[in-house]
Structures are given as C-alpha cells and as structure tokens.
C-alpha cells in the first residue's frame, strides 16, 4: 500500500484525493467479508462517498465516530460507511443518511500533530441500510448485502469504456493537481477494472448526491457509462477554464500591473474580513432596487456600479465614482408629490400670506383648476416682475404650500458661469451637477415649486452665458429631456413649476422672456402697506424681538406716518426695517424695566425713528407760468416731478436742458420745442419769440438721473405756458410721449404713477387715450378722487391744462 502525504482534509470528515491501492491480490474485495453479519457499526461521513476497493483517509471529529473506530480496531471488525445528506447534521438518523453504503476495513489510525485523528479505510462490498438498531455508544444498523455484476471478460465494449475512463482520469489528474507521477503510473498499470471504475468515481469532483447515484448502480457497465458521461462533462469544464485563461493571458504593462496588485490587495482584504466598499455597494444596489426610474437610467447605473466595484477604495477615482453613483441613486426619478386640488384652500393660503397681488393669485388658482380637470399638464413658467420688496420671492413659498408641493429656490443674482446651471463635465476635478439637479436632490421630488430668483441679474463672461443655459430649463417643449453635463442622463423637468422673479425686464434676453408668462407685481399704495404691516410685519418683528403680543399697540395712523415720512419704496422692505428699529428700542426699554407706551402714537415716532426722512411729494401749486407737474416711474414706485421752463433774451434761440436728463428725455424736449415752433400761430406765439429768446428747461432734483419719453407732453405744456405766460390749472398732472406731429403716445407704469399723484393730492390727470385700458385694470379703490382726461393730440393737452 502507498500512502500520499499531501492530502487535504478538514474536521468535516472530508478528503480531496483518494489513495491508490495495489488490488491484484483481492480482486473482488471479498477478503474478510465472511465475518460480516446482518448487523454492523455505522460510520456517517460528511460530503464523501466511499466505493468498493477504494481507500480513503478520513479525519474523525465526532465522539461517536471515535468510539466506533477504537472498537473496530480493538475487535478487528468491519464497519459500514454511509454518506449523510446534509453537512451540518450532527446527530444523523436513518432519514438523514443515504440508504446505500459500503462495508469498509479500518486499515490504519494516524494521530496527527495538530491533535486530530486520521483513519485510512478501504471499501469492500456494497450494502443497503435497512434500519438503525442503536445510537449509543455509536450507531449500529441492520443491513442487506448487495451484489455487483461484472460483464464477461471478452466484452470489448466494456474494455474500451474502461480504457476511456482511465485516460480521462489521468488527464484530469494532470490538469487538476501537481503532476503525481507515482499515482499516474500506478493507474496506468492497474489491471483490476472494478477498482479502476470505482477509483475514478471516488476521484470525480462532483456532488455527493451524484456520487451516491453512481454507487447505487449494481451493473458495473452501467456505472462505467454514467461515469464516462460525468468525466466528459467535468473535463470539458476544465478545458473551458484553461481556454479562458489562455485568451486573457497577455503581457502586463505598468497600468495592468498596478491594477493586478490592487486586486491582490482587495483579495487580501476580503480574506482578512471583507472588502471595505462591499457594504457601500450593497447599500447603493438596495436603494436602486426601490427606484422606479426609466430603463435607460437603470442600465447606466448598472454600468457605473460595476465600475465602482472594480475600483479600490484607496484609488483617487473611487470617491469621484461613488459621488456620481450616489447622485444617480438619490435623484427623485419619476417621484412626485400629490397636488392639492382644493381651490378654496389654495385661495386661503395665498390670501393669508400676501395682501393684494390679485393677478398673481388668480393665475395660480387657474393653474390649479386646469390641473384638477385635466389631471396632467406641463407646468407653466411664470415670471413675476416688479420693484424690490413687494413679495415676489415669498410668493413662491406660498404657492408651494397652496399646491402641497415641495419648495426649492436658487438665487441667480451675479451668476456668470454656465456650469452653475448645466453642471461640469465629469472629466474636471471637483465636478458637480448644476443648481437645478442639486435642488431636486435636496427636495427629493420631481415636481417642486422652483423659484429662480433675480433672473434679470444673470451676467455673462468667458465661461459662457447662463441665460442661454436657462433657455432649455424654461422651455416646456425641451425641459422634459434636460441634460445636465455632470449627470449625463436626460432628466424630466416638465412637472416642475418654475417661478422666476425680476426687477427689470430690459436686462433679460428676448428668447428667455419669450418662454415665460409675465405677471407684473406692482408696488403697494399706502393703505395696502398699512394692512401688510398690521397683518404680517408687526407680529413677525414682535416675535423676532421677544416682545409679547399685547405689550404695545400700533394704530393705523402711526403706521401710515412711518410709510409716508420714513420710507420711500414700492415694497415693504424698508418699512420692515423701520418697524424692527422701533422694536429694538422697545426691547431695550422692557429689558431695562423702563415704562413702555401701551399705544405708539404718530407724535412718538420722533423718539424711536428720529427726524422725518422724507417729505411727501407735495404739489407746488400753479403760481408760476412754465411749471408743470409730470408723473414718473422709478424702481421704488411712482413719483411726481416738475418741469420748469424759462425764457431769457438772446440771439439764436438756444435751448438749454438741465437736471441730469438722459438722451431720450433730451430728445423729448427738442421735439416739444420744434412742435411749438411749427404750430406757433395756433397758440398765439409770435415768430419773434423764437428768434430773440433763449429757452431753458430744468427738471428739479438734479442729482437724480432721469430718462424716458413719458415727460414729452409735460415739456410741451411747460414750453407753451412759458411762451404764452398762461398758468397751468390747479392740481393737474400729466404723462405721455409726443411725436413731431403732435400725437400723444401711451406710456408704462400707469399704476405707480397714479398712486404717486394720489399721494401728492393731484385730482386731474391727463393720459393718452390708449392708456385707458391700463386704468381700467386698476382697482377702483385706488382711483377714488381722481378725474381722468384722455387725449390723442398735444393741442387737447394744452386746451385742458392751461388757464
């Protein structure tokens, strides 16, 4: 007998390679079988099947098995070896064992240096296990011996079959293990066909279940055919592995070498306790499995996560790849919040948060109504424009609450890099997605209310034009496939409700304006500001300064005085600051235990806010010819302005313009003078006046720049008044552009101008006939006490204005 030392085994009573025996003496393995009765000790093996004639080393681990081996060695008896069905069964019963086993002889017991005991056993004859008759001190069972039938000696088919099995077994041994020359030599020269077949069965690297099916076959020829089939299958698998290795074998350059070394480190880390990034990848895959994204996104994710799996955590690309995959996973693909279609609730929320602003509220309620009826609609792009501090930005938050949507906001003021909108390409260091995608990540839904603040403040430089990048975002026909450079996957923005805000439409490019629905949010009149202060600003500032609600009362006349004497604006931001200033002074008094007035009266304001900062635009009367009241629009609302004309003797009829006037306003003055010169006879002005008198036009507050065509009729009236010495009617103001033919053209900012006129105590207003439609849109409350005169020609203006 030869025993090979390089055998691998473990405490599961398993073995890798059988021991080859010289079997010429005991050709049918029946030696000693006459002593075996119908009861025999049973040794259960894990994951191993013993065949007749084959010797195997077995590491014995269970106490019952140790007792059985000692008893068999002591009494020199045979044992029954049976394979158990499940590896982890510690106390196998009859149902846990296969019913076909092999009678075996214990040939040697070897005490190993590590304390384990290895037993070499050799199979003899097959048996059928009928029942287990005892379980202590070791298993014992009742058996029935099974006969093996061999083919006749002259069966050439069987000889060829055995020869094929021998060749294949030797080939597989050569491929699978280090070349074992003695083993291969012994196999080639062994003439016992039964042993050769059984040895190959035992050496086959298939499951215990398939080996057991071979052991059950009593016909040796049938077993040989089945064995050859399995050998061919396993050999083809070995060849395929070898072929794959050959295909992938090539010279390793420096980069491949580094990758190979990294993979080795990764393998070592796995051996030491799992790869570092395994848990992260599993977490990402788990998140991805819960996503309802389009198919193409899933494909991109799968490709990128595989890249991440191949990267080592210490690699500089690892964090970049992780960030990208996390961006894909965390985006709310096709995740939407449910819109609240309760129109009454929406109206209530909008009225609660904002006083006035009827047009905007009406538009939002209309949008909700359409959504309710249609169920699905591309969200509109609304642009709220108007002076600062009128509540354009805060409207976005109220709209989000009214629709029950999430709220996102991005400030575009001073933005000059296109990548801020579209994101950077991933090839750049520190690349990240644009502001649009970042905000969607933050809110976690694909249909928020998205406020694009200060869209008119976007600038351009060598890094690109962000306004052009916004064209794709704000076009309902394009934004369903918005392309972010970093994400590099089309994203649907069509369900996002964009609300842009702007102070000045002139700085917004025409294509961008074309994509938005413009809604003007004009300034508030004094009455509205008083209401806003009572409802919103004062409660907010009381809370912000830690003052109890009923500590001090603000009567409406006090708030009105703050508005008129301490602020000059269209919105309420400055008013908010003044109220905060009063609160700070009150807080100091309360903290110092000083008395606080129960009611803040207008005369107390000097103590808290100091001297009055602004005098109201006062109407200066009609005491002088050549002075006419005009109406102007400014960024902080409407104002009245005065145009003064005077004549002085001199040759050449020189025209002088002062008051920091822009080019358009200067042109209006020249137009007015030319028109009057051309129609001098109509107004009883002698030709001599134009030849011997110089004309000087001045618009007071010379430090403030003024421009625009709307002072045209004011200048013309002022000149006629100066030339004819006719005074202007009392409490009259006007606005309108003129042409060289004397036609009056419409102008903008009518609402602000009318509010300014009302503040100044004006009662009569002259406007172009085409501005009637603007007046009709204004609430009647704002127009009380005003009389409108609509004109088409400058002669009508002169007739109405001059005494």
């Amino acid at each position: 007998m030869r025993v090979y030392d390089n055998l691998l085994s473990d405490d599961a009573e398993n073995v890798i390679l059988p021991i080859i025996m010289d079997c010429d003496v005991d050709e049918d393995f029946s030696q000693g079988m006459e002593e075996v009765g119908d009861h025999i000790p049973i040794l259960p093996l894990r994951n191993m099947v013993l065949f007749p004639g084959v010797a195997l080393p077995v590491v014995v681990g269970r106490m019952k098995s140790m007792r059985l081996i000692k008893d068999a060695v002591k009494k020199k008896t045979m044992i029954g070896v049976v394979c158990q069905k499940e590896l982890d069964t510690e106390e196998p019963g009859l149902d846990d064992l296969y019913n076909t086993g092999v009678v075996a002889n214990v040939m040697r017991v070897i005490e190993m240096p590590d304390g384990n005991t290895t037993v070499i056993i050799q199979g003899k004859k097959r048996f059928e296990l009928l029942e287990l008759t005892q379980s202590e001190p070791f298993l014992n069972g009742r058996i029935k011996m099974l006969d093996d039938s061999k083919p006749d000696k002259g069966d050439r088919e069987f000889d060829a079959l055995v020869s094929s099995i021998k060749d294949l077994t030797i080939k597989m041994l050569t491929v699978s293990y280090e070349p074992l020359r003695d083993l291969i030599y012994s196999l080639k020269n062994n003439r016992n066909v039964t042993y050769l077949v059984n040895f190959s069965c035992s050496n086959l690297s298939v499951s215990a279940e398939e080996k057991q099916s071979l052991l059950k076959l009593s016909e040796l020829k049938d077993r040989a055919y089945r064995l050859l089939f399995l050998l061919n299958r396993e050999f083809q698998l070995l060849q395929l592995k070898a072929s794959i290795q050959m295909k992938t074998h090539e010279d390793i350059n420096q980069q491949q070498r580094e990758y190979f070394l990294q993979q080795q480190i990764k393998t070592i880390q796995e051996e030491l306790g799992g790869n570092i990034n395994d848990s992260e990848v599993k977490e990402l895959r788990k998140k991805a499995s819960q996503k309802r994204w389009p198919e193409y996104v899933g494909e991109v994710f799968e490709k990128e996560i595989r890249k991440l799996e191949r990267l080592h955590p210490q690699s500089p690309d690892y964090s970049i790849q992780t960030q990208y995959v996390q961006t894909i996973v965390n985006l709310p693909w096709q995740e939407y919040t449910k819109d609240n279609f309760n129109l009454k609730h929406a109206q209530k929320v909008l009225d609660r948060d904002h006083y006035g602003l009827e047009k905007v509220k009406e538009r939002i309620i209309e949008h909700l109504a359409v959504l309710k009826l249609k169920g699905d609609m591309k969200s509109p792009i609304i642009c709220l424009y108007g002076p600062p501090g009128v509540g354009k930005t805060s409207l976005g938050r109220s709209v989000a609450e009214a629709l029950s949507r999430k709220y996102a906001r991005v400030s575009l003021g001073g933005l000059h890099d296109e990548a801020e909108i579209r994101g950077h390409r991933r090839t750049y260091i520190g690349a990240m997605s644009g502001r649009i995608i970042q905000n969607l990540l933050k809110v976690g839904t694909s249909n928020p209310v998205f406020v694009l603040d200060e869209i008119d403040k976007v600038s351009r430089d060598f890094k690109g034009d962000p306004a052009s990048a916004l064209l794709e975002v704000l076009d309902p026909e394009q934004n369903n496939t918005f392309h972010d450079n970093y994400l590099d996957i089309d994203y649907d923005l069509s369900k996002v409700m964009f609300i842009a805000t702007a102070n000045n439409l002139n700085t917004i490019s025409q294509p961008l304006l074309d994509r938005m629905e413009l809604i003007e949010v004009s300034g508030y009149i004094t009455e509205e500001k008083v209401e806003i202060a009572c409802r919103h600003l004062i409660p907010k500032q009381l809370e912000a300064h830690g003052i109890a609600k009923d500590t001090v009362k603000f009567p409406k006349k006090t708030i009105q005085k703050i508005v008129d004497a301490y602020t000059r604006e269209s919105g309420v931001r400055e008013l908010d600051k003044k109220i905060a200033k009063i609160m700070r002074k009150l807080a100091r008094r309360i903290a110092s235990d000083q008395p606080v007035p129960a009611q803040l009266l207008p005369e107390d304001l000097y103590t808290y806010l100091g001297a009055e900062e602004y005098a109201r635009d006062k109407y200066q009367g009609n005491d002088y010819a050549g002075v006419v009241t005009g109406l102007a629009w400014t960024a902080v609302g409407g104002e009245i302005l005065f145009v003064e004309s005077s004549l002085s003797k001199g040759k050449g009829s020189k025209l002088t313009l002062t008051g920091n006037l822009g080019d358009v306003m200067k042109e209006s003055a020249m137009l007015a003078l030319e028109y009057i010169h051309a129609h001098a006879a109509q107004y009883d002005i002698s030709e001599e006046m134009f030849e011997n008198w110089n004309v000087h036009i001045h618009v007071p507050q010379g430090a403030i720049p003024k421009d625009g065509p709307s002072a045209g009729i004011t200048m013309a009236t002022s000149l006629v008044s100066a030339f004819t010495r006719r005074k202007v009617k009392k409490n009259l103001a006007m606005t309108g552009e003129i042409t060289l033919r004397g036609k009056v053209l419409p102008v903008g900012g009518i609402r602000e101008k009318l509010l300014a006129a009302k503040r100044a105590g004006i009662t009569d207003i002259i406007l172009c006939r085409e501005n009637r439609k603007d007046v009709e849109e204004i609430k009647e409350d704002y127009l009380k006490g005003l009389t409108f005169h609509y004109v088409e020609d400058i002669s009508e203006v002169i007739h109405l204005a001059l005494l």
Side-chain angles (χ1 to χ4, degrees):
M1 182 183 74
R2 301 185 189 90
V3 180
Y4 288 89
D5 296 328
N6 59 339
L7 303 174
L8 301 173
S9 61
D10 58 28
D11 61 356
E13 300 174 0
N14 197 6
V15 64
I16 299 300
L17 188 68
I19 295 170
I20 190 140
M21 307 289 297
D22 291 329
C23 300
D24 295 336
V25 179
D26 186 14
E27 193 171 335
D28 59 353
F29 321 120
S30 59
Q31 192 175 335
M33 286 300 295
E34 60 276 358
E35 298 172 13
V36 179
D38 58 353
H39 282 75
I40 195 166
I42 302 296
L43 176 68
L45 300 184
R46 301 183 206 252
N47 201 29
M48 186 170 79
V49 180
L50 182 66
F51 284 82
V54 179
L56 290 180
V58 176
V59 178
V60 178
R62 284 186 277 227
M63 288 307 297
K64 277 188 182 180
S65 301
M66 283 298 300
R67 288 197 287 268
L68 184 147
I69 294 298
K70 284 177 183 175
D71 187 74
V73 170
K74 186 178 176 183
K75 295 180 180 176
K76 295 185 179 179
T77 56
M78 299 277 190
I79 62 170
V81 177
V82 184
C83 180
Q84 64 185 54
K85 293 174 182 176
E86 298 294 335
L87 267 173
D88 52 358
T89 307
E90 284 300 325
E91 296 288 338
L94 186 65
D95 293 337
D96 300 317
L97 302 171
Y98 288 108
N99 60 1
T100 306
V102 174
V103 175
N105 185 23
V106 179
M107 300 182 69
R108 184 177 295 180
V109 179
I110 307 167
E111 295 291 338
M112 305 299 285
D114 59 0
N116 287 327
T117 302
T118 300
V119 181
I120 297 173
I121 54 175
Q122 185 187 13
K124 292 290 183 180
K125 288 282 185 183
R126 295 183 312 120
F127 68 80
E128 183 185 353
L129 180 62
L130 301 174
E131 64 175 323
L132 292 175
T133 55
Q134 74 174 48
S135 60
E136 293 294 339
F138 46 77
L139 294 178
N140 206 306
R142 187 164 65 84
I143 63 168
K144 184 176 89 174
M145 301 304 294
L146 298 172
D147 292 325
D148 286 341
S149 59
K150 285 201 305 185
D152 298 334
K153 281 204 171 182
D155 192 334
R156 294 178 66 81
E157 184 185 347
F158 182 67
D159 293 342
L161 199 56
V162 172
S163 178
S164 298
I165 289 168
K166 189 191 287 188
D167 290 346
L168 263 178
T169 304
I170 290 167
K171 279 181 186 176
M172 288 181 74
L173 281 171
T174 309
V175 173
S176 301
Y177 300 97
E178 292 288 324
L180 302 170
R181 289 177 188 163
D182 288 355
L183 183 62
I184 292 167
Y185 177 79
S186 298
L187 264 178
K188 281 182 178 175
N189 294 302
N190 199 307
R191 293 184 300 280
N192 188 334
V193 289
T194 307
Y195 177 74
L196 280 170
V197 170
N198 287 346
F199 176 83
S200 295
C201 287
S202 187
N203 190 44
L204 197 60
S205 58
V206 293
S207 66
E209 194 177 348
E210 285 193 292
K211 283 186 181 180
Q212 193 69 33
S213 68
L214 287 166
L215 183 65
K216 275 183 93 171
L217 296 169
S218 56
E219 288 283 344
L220 192 60
K221 193 171 182 179
D222 292 344
R223 193 182 301 164
Y225 264 118
R226 177 67 186 156
L227 172 63
L228 189 60
F229 169 76
L230 293 172
L231 276 170
N232 271 313
R233 188 186 74 187
E234 292 302 310
F235 187 62
Q236 282 171 12
L237 190 64
L238 281 171
Q239 282 181 317
L240 191 60
K241 285 180 184 175
S243 168
I244 290 167
Q245 285 176 342
M246 286 300 292
K247 282 178 186 173
T248 55
H249 180 72
E250 56 185 38
D251 293 334
I252 301 174
N253 58 26
Q254 183 62 24
Q255 188 178 352
Q256 287 170 317
R257 182 173 173 275
E258 286 174 8
Y259 175 72
F260 179 66
L261 290 171
Q262 280 183 353
Q263 290 303 107
Q264 282 186 319
I265 292 167
K266 186 177 174 183
T267 308
I268 292 164
Q269 283 171 340
E270 284 173 356
E271 291 294 325
L272 290 171
N275 194 0
I276 299 168
N277 67 342
D278 265 0
S279 58
E280 197 165 0
V281 169
K282 278 178 188 169
E283 186 65 32
L284 288 167
R285 284 195 183 278
K286 187 181 174 185
K287 274 190 184 177
S289 66
Q290 295 161 0
K291 289 282 177 184
R292 294 176 299 168
W293 50 29
E295 193 178 328
Y296 64 88
V297 180
E299 288 168 7
V300 172
F301 170 78
E302 192 56 42
K303 189 176 84 176
E304 297 299 332
I305 198 89
R306 281 182 188 163
K307 266 190 212 170
L308 182 64
E309 284 175 325
R310 291 198 297 272
L311 287 172
H312 187 265
Q314 303 301 325
S315 160
D317 291 335
Y318 179 76
S319 59
I320 296 167
Q321 187 67 14
T322 306
Q323 183 189 351
Y324 178 64
V325 174
Q326 283 176 340
T327 302
I328 296 176
V329 166
N330 293 331
L331 269 171
W333 302 93
Q334 296 181 350
E335 291 176 29
Y336 307 108
T337 52
K338 193 176 180 184
D339 286 327
N340 183 358
F341 298 126
N342 188 334
L343 303 186
K344 285 181 183 174
H345 165 74
Q347 188 73 56
K348 192 177 172 184
V349 169
L350 294 170
D351 288 340
R352 180 197 70 198
D353 294 345
H354 292 84
Y355 185 80
L357 308 179
E358 304 306 328
K359 264 192 192 177
V360 189
K361 293 177 186 175
E362 189 183 341
R363 177 65 190 82
I364 287 145
I365 299 297
E366 284 169 4
H367 173 62
L368 256 182
V370 174
L371 274 175
K372 187 175 182 178
L373 296 176
K374 192 167 185 285
D376 180 36
M377 179 182 123
K378 284 182 179 175
S379 282
I381 315 307
I382 293 169
C383 179
L384 307 174
Y385 72 96
V390 293
K392 299 185 296 295
T393 305
S394 63
L395 253 167
R397 195 179 290 278
S398 298
V399 172
E401 192 183 336
L403 294 167
S404 296
R405 289 190 181 191
K406 294 286 181 68
Y407 171 74
R409 176 184 163 272
V410 58
S411 179
L412 301 174
L415 200 76
H416 54 78
D417 186 358
E418 186 186 323
E420 291 283 341
I421 305 295
R422 278 228 181 93
H424 306 81
R425 298 192 186 282
R426 282 167 62 206
T427 48
Y428 294 105
I429 292 170
M432 59 195 298
S433 51
R435 299 271 191 96
I436 307 292
I437 295 296
Q438 280 177 32
N439 276 279
L440 291 177
L441 278 167
K442 203 184 293 178
V443 297
T445 170
S446 287
N447 65 336
V449 171
F450 204 121
V451 174
L452 298 167
D453 226 351
E454 311 290 359
I455 201 168
D456 55 328
K457 312 287 191 305
V458 173
S459 56
R460 60 182 298 177
D461 65 2
F462 64 94
K463 293 176 186 171
D465 182 8
S468 300
L470 281 169
L471 292 177
E472 184 186 6
V473 177
L474 298 181
D475 190 342
E477 296 303 318
Q478 294 180 46
N479 68 9
N480 59 341
T481 54
F482 171 66
H483 191 84
D484 184 278
N485 290 331
Y486 176 78
L487 189 62
D488 208 21
I489 311 170
D490 288 343
Y491 195 89
D492 184 6
L493 296 178
S494 63
K495 303 287 189 299
V496 178
M497 186 172 187
F498 286 103
I499 298 179
T501 73
N503 298 130
N504 184 6
L505 297 181
N506 296 332
T507 56
I508 304 175
S509 66
Q510 193 56 45
L512 197 54
L513 269 180
D514 189 48
R515 282 162 170 78
M516 299 188 289
E517 184 178 334
L518 301 176
I519 300 176
E520 186 180 4
V521 185
S522 49
Y524 300 109
I525 58 170
T526 306
E527 289 79 6
E528 285 179 326
K529 288 182 183 179
V530 170
E531 283 297 328
I532 290 166
C534 288
R535 295 182 188 196
H536 303 289
L537 304 182
I538 291 170
K540 183 184 86 174
Q541 291 299 347
L542 280 168
E543 188 182 341
H545 290 81
I547 301 171
K549 212 179 249 184
D550 299 323
T551 307
V552 63
K553 293 268 190 267
F554 282 75
K556 288 193 175 180
K557 56 185 177 181
T558 306
I559 301 169
Q560 188 164 347
K561 178 143 190 210
I562 300 172
V563 172
D564 291 340
Y566 293 93
T567 67
R568 174 160 290 182
E569 57 174 349
S570 291
V572 290
R573 198 168 281 145
E574 192 67 28
L575 176 59
D576 196 28
K577 288 178 190 171
K578 296 299 176 193
I579 293 169
K581 189 175 179 181
I582 294 169
M583 294 299 174
R584 286 196 296 275
K585 297 244 189 296
L586 288 170
R588 182 178 172 181
R589 283 180 172 234
I590 294 165
S592 308
D593 296 323
Q594 293 177 6
V596 176
Q599 206 171 27
L600 202 69
L601 300 170
E603 49 268 28
D604 299 331
L605 288 176
Y606 182 82
T607 314
Y608 294 93
L609 296 176
E612 294 183 10
E613 295 176 28
Y614 304 103
R616 272 178 63 168
D617 299 324
K618 293 276 190 252
Y619 172 65
Q620 294 178 0
N622 64 337
D623 299 338
Y624 303 95
V627 179
V628 183
T629 309
L631 298 172
W633 179 92
T634 69
V636 296
E639 286 186 3
I640 64 167
L641 57 79
F642 303 98
V643 176
E644 303 172 349
S645 298
S646 71
L647 304 176
S648 58
K649 282 228 175 225
K651 292 281 183 187
S653 68
K654 190 171 80 170
L655 173 63
T656 307
L657 302 167
T658 55
N660 201 347
L661 309 183
D663 290 343
V664 177
M665 209 160 178
K666 285 176 183 175
E667 287 169 4
S668 291
M670 286 186 269
L671 271 173
L673 186 60
E674 284 301 320
Y675 172 79
I676 292 159
H677 196 164
H679 296 79
Q682 188 179 331
Y683 302 113
D684 296 327
I685 303 169
S686 69
E687 191 64 35
E688 187 185 321
M689 294 280 287
F690 294 98
E691 291 172 7
N692 301 318
W693 294 81
N694 292 328
V695 180
H696 187 139
I697 298 176
H698 174 67
V699 183
Q701 293 181 310
I704 300 170
K706 308 168 196 76
D707 201 7
S710 62
I713 62 170
T714 317
M715 286 176 166
T717 308
S718 175
L719 286 170
V720 173
S721 174
F723 277 120
T724 61
R725 312 311 297 164
R726 290 163 67 190
K727 293 178 186 176
V728 179
K729 282 181 184 174
K730 275 188 180 181
N731 301 321
L732 178 96
M734 60 186 72
T735 182
E737 184 182 349
I738 60 163
T739 68
L740 198 56
R741 293 174 295 148
K743 292 290 177 192
V744 180
L745 301 180
V747 288
I750 296 298
R751 184 175 184 271
E752 284 80 3
K753 289 175 180 177
L754 297 187
L755 298 183
K758 202 173 175 193
R759 273 203 307 270
I762 302 290
T763 56
D764 289 81
I765 293 174
I766 298 175
L767 294 170
C768 172
R769 197 177 300 281
E770 286 181 41
N771 280 128
R772 186 195 288 269
K773 64 180 184 301
D774 301 308
V775 176
E776 286 170 354
E777 282 185 7
I778 299 168
K779 281 169 75 174
E780 284 185 25
D781 298 359
Y782 299 173
L783 307 178
K784 277 180 187 171
L786 294 177
T787 307
F788 295 96
H789 307 279
Y790 298 106
V791 297
E792 287 182 333
D793 196 274
I794 192 70
S795 57
E796 296 176 58
V797 178
I798 305 296
H799 176 70
L800 285 165
L802 299 184
L803 295 169

